[in-house]
Amino acid sequence: MKTDVCSAISIATTHYALYDTGDVTGVDKVFAPDLIDHNPVPGAPTGIEGMRMLIGEVRIGFTDTHHEIVFQRELPNGWVVSHWRMTATHAEDAFGAPASGRPVSFNGTDIVRVADGRIIEIYHVAERLQMQVQLTA
């Protein structure tokens, strides 16, 4: 497994652009086909198909999506930890909540492992309760 630290951070960061642009075709460039997703969204498929579904769901449900990296650090063996903030407008039904037109802002943390130019493993935790409160308040 060959990992370049700069490219590991670059790839870890690039995956947020997929959410912001809704580029589900880019999933195949950023994530390995045998991606291990340690905590997929409940009800979503696992692995790369789960990431494709999640990115599509975010893009369908939200407009003006923007991810800001709050903190990012590379670790040994291709691991990168990223703490991020997503802002958007809830324009369509998403994650079980009907469209509200409300702005949302919530944080999350991802730990990814990059090898051979793609993310091969991911742990992701988003403050979904914070998001749900903003969507339904």
Side-chain angles (χ1 to χ4, degrees):
M1 173 175 37
K2 180 180 167 191
T3 302
D4 174 6
V5 171
C6 290
S7 67
I9 288 202
S10 175
I11 291 163
T13 302
T14 298
H15 105 265
Y16 300 108
L18 299 177
Y19 291 96
D20 295 345
T21 64
D23 181 10
V24 294
T25 61
V27 168
D28 296 310
K29 296 175 188 161
V30 176
F31 294 95
D34 55 350
L35 171 72
I36 299 168
D37 185 347
H38 290 280
N39 52 340
V41 172
T46 60
I48 195 167
E49 289 308 316
M51 294 308 298
R52 195 180 324 278
M53 189 226 71
L54 180 60
I55 289 165
E57 180 85 4
V58 168
R59 196 56 183 171
I60 289 168
F62 298 91
T63 60
D64 306 323
T65 307
H66 176 71
H67 281 79
E68 171 192 353
I69 302 297
V70 177
F71 171 85
Q72 191 170 56
R73 180 81 50 166
E74 105 252 350
L75 304 169
N77 300 318
W79 288 99
V80 177
V81 62
S82 303
H83 184 69
W84 50 266
R85 177 176 301 109
M86 182 182 125
T87 56
T89 302
H90 183 219
E92 299 291 333
D93 297 357
F95 301 106
S100 67
R102 294 183 178 128
V104 296
S105 176
F106 62 96
N107 295 331
T109 301
D110 293 326
I111 304 169
V112 302
R113 186 162 59 116
V114 176
D116 300 323
R118 293 189 193 166
I119 296 171
I120 62 170
E121 202 168 348
I122 185 168
Y123 294 85
H124 45 132
V125 178
E127 294 176 340
R128 293 180 65 208
L129 180 58
Q130 186 183 44
M131 178 185 70
Q132 286 297 121
V133 167
Q134 293 174 57
L135 298 181
T136 59

